């Protein structure tokens, strides 16, 4: 006796993951990050306005900005450990509040006490520095793995938009209010960064009962975690070389070449704007593109910064320089977004903030060294040889980093075929 086979019911196709831009938790985090970015980029511009209004001298401006950088570098290491020890949301809250408190202190010291302004600037830098690794780790808590690349691309768009909008909005508002009011407005932005983001994943209730290692031991443990990933060490070395040599060289050389070769400041402004516009485009590309070899794409993007110093070496039309900066901007985001996504995927979650802080500490920390050495090198050897060395480093160091073990996929291969 035969039976009629029962037709198999096809398995329902799982719905596509919801866009990260429709996730309220991520949107709150994005708003907080954007507010902190606007405050970060607006502060140097506002202090520059204070110099123009003769409320602050040029030497005082240098001291205040140096104190801010020093506060950032110290706090970015401390903040990484704190964000792994405690709630990342709490670290964002208290570090942003510290930066918010610094704003009225800067306003109070303006034109009255350079010492107070210097202390306040260090506090502002510390708040900014402690926020960075906490925000990075909080993104991994708020967003699931499948949507992290889109989330990081949205965060990069926030950073680049802040780069353009921060000074522009400040200049617009400055037509109606004085510098002290602008500083208080920066404090309000930090309050948004402090209170708008929501909580991430719930902490393990047993974590607080386990004995804690010393602060130094936990920081060193973060370094050990970073060393466990060859792609991370190679990428950090390449990023540091590009920032310390390529970015520093163009920061010093571009104003000189704009003035001496082209006889106008327009090239300087257009090139820097083109870089930011290119970065916006690069971030948009990463929201749609999932390459089979994300590491190779990332290192190729990082190497593209070499076109910026290369274009300054040659007596080319200004449009060539501007195009080179567009390419450099696209490339830097083709590196940044997969880089942050890989760290969130590959690094142990309990150590992510410490590894992120090491990333910021090394790449940002060596940038002032490059800036300090480039100008004497140009005086000693000339601008063209220095730019040639820097361009070669930008092309060759990322290429070498791409050969490191696990660099092709920035960690373990995903579903893409090898």
């Amino acid at each position: 006796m035969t039976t009629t086979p029962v037709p198999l019911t096809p398995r329902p196709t799982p719905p596509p993951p919801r866009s990260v831009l429709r996730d309220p938790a991520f949107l709150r985090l994005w708003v907080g990050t954007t507010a902190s970015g606007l405050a970060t980029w607006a502060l140097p511009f506002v202090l520059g306005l204070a110099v123009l209004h003769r409320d602050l001298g040029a030497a005082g401006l240098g001291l205040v900005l140096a104190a801010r950088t020093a506060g950032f570098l110290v706090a970015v290491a401390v903040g990484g450990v704190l964000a792994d020890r405690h709630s990342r949301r709490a670290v964002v809250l208290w570090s942003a509040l510290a930066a918010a408190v610094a704003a009225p202190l800067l306003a109070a010291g303006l034109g009255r006490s350079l010492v107070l302004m210097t202390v306040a600037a260090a506090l502002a830098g510390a708040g900014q520095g402690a926020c960075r690794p906490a925000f990075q780790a909080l993104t991994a808590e708020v967003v699931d793995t499948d949507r992290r690349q889109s989330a990081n691309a949205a965060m990069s768009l926030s950073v680049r938009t802040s780069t353009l909008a921060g000074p522009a909005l400040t200049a617009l508002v400055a037509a109606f209010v004085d510098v002290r009011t602008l500083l208080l407005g920066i404090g309000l932005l930090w309050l948004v960064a402090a209170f708008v983001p929501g909580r991430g994943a719930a902490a393990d209730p047993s974590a607080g009962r386990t004995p804690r290692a010393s602060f130094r031991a936990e920081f060193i443990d973060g370094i050990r975690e970073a060393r466990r990933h060859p792609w991370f060490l190679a990428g950090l070395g390449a990023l540091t070389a590009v920032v310390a040599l390529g970015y520093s060289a163009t920061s010093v050389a571009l104003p000189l070449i704009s003035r001496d070769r082209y006889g106008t400041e327009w090239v300087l402004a257009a090139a820097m704007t083109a870089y930011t516009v290119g970065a916006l485009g690069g971030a948009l590309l990463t929201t749609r593109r999932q390459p089979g070899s994300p590491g190779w794409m990332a290192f190729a993007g990082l190497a593209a910064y070499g076109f910026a110093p290369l274009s300054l070496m040659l007596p080319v039309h200004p449009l060539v320089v501007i195009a080179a900066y567009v390419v450099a901007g696209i490339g830097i985001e083709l590196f940044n977004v997969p880089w942050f996504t890989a760290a969130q995927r590959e690094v142990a979650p309990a150590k992510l903030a410490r590894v992120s802080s090491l990333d910021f500490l090394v790449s940002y920390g060596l940038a002032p060294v490059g800036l300090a050495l480039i100008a004497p090198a140009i005086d000693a050897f000339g601008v063209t040889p220095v730019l040639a060395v820097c361009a070669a480093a930008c092309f060759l160091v990322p290429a070498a980093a791409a050969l490191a073990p696990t660099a092709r996929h920035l960690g373990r291969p995903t579903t893409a075929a090898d």
Side-chain angles (χ1 to χ4, degrees):
M1 179 178 174
T2 61
T3 58
T4 303
V6 178
L8 296 176
T9 304
R11 288 186 177 182
T13 304
R18 184 175 59 166
S19 168
V20 72
L21 297 178
R22 298 173 61 188
D23 185 334
F26 173 73
L27 286 178
R28 291 179 65 182
L29 181 62
W30 186 88
V31 169
T33 305
T34 302
S36 70
L38 287 171
T40 296
W41 288 103
L43 181 57
F45 188 83
V46 172
L47 293 174
L49 291 177
V51 174
L52 292 178
H53 295 169
R54 302 187 184 279
D55 292 321
L56 182 66
L61 175 63
L63 180 62
V64 170
L65 291 179
R68 180 186 182 225
T69 301
F72 175 89
L73 293 176
V74 171
V76 76
V78 175
V81 176
L82 292 177
D84 282 339
R85 278 188 172 194
H86 307 290
S87 161
R88 275 108 187 224
R89 178 65 188 89
V91 173
V92 167
L93 172 65
W94 290 108
S95 55
L97 284 177
V101 168
L105 293 178
L106 282 166
L110 186 64
R112 300 186 184 99
S113 172
L114 183 58
V115 172
L116 178 59
M117 290 195 70
T118 302
V119 173
L123 181 61
Q128 177 195 343
C131 268
R132 293 297 294 271
F135 269 130
Q136 187 67 25
L138 196 56
T139 302
E141 292 184 2
V142 169
V143 181
D144 55 81
T145 305
D146 292 340
R147 298 184 297 165
R148 283 181 189 161
Q149 177 148 328
S150 296
N152 287 315
M155 289 295 192
S156 288
L157 285 170
S158 165
V159 171
R160 299 305 173 184
T161 303
S162 299
T163 306
L164 283 175
L169 290 175
T170 303
L172 179 63
V173 177
F176 304 97
V177 300
D178 60 14
V179 173
R180 286 186 177 83
T181 304
L182 289 172
L183 289 170
L184 295 177
I186 289 174
L188 291 177
L189 287 171
W190 278 114
L191 289 178
V192 173
F195 291 111
V196 169
R199 294 184 178 275
D204 182 359
S206 65
R209 297 193 293 267
T210 58
R212 283 288 186 187
S214 68
F215 186 93
R216 176 177 175 275
E218 290 201 357
F219 182 75
I220 292 174
D221 194 34
I223 296 176
R224 290 197 191 99
E225 173 66 19
R227 291 174 59 187
R228 205 168 61 81
H229 304 281
W231 63 268
F232 181 84
L233 293 181
L236 184 56
L239 177 62
T240 302
V242 169
V243 171
L245 294 176
Y247 185 78
S248 297
T250 54
S251 296
V252 174
L254 179 59
L256 298 176
I257 290 173
S258 180
R259 180 196 66 192
D260 298 339
R261 181 184 298 167
Y262 299 107
T264 176
E265 296 177 355
W266 176 82
V267 176
L268 169 63
M272 297 310 298
T273 303
Y275 176 78
T276 303
V277 171
L280 285 169
L284 286 172
L285 282 175
T286 59
T287 64
R288 302 177 179 275
R289 183 174 175 81
Q290 298 283 347
S293 301
W296 285 359
M297 181 196 76
F299 287 118
L302 187 60
Y305 194 90
F307 288 109
L310 185 65
S311 70
L312 298 178
M313 289 172 54
L314 308 172
V316 295
H317 192 277
L319 290 179
V320 176
V321 176
I322 293 168
Y325 271 81
V326 171
V327 171
I330 292 172
I332 204 68
E333 289 306 326
L334 293 181
F335 172 82
N336 279 340
V337 174
W339 173 257
F340 291 140
T341 305
Q344 292 162 351
R345 182 186 68 240
E346 299 292 327
V347 174
K351 302 175 184 178
L352 177 57
R354 276 170 283 176
V355 173
S356 296
S357 71
L358 186 67
D359 177 5
F360 296 127
L361 182 64
V362 174
S363 58
Y364 282 87
L366 291 180
V369 177
L371 286 169
L373 295 178
I374 289 296
I378 290 175
D379 290 339
F381 304 106
V383 66
T384 299
V386 171
L387 288 173
V389 170
C390 293
C394 289
F395 289 128
L396 296 176
V397 177
L403 302 177
T406 68
R408 178 176 179 179
H409 298 283
L410 296 178
R412 62 180 182 273
T414 57
T415 55
D418 208 18

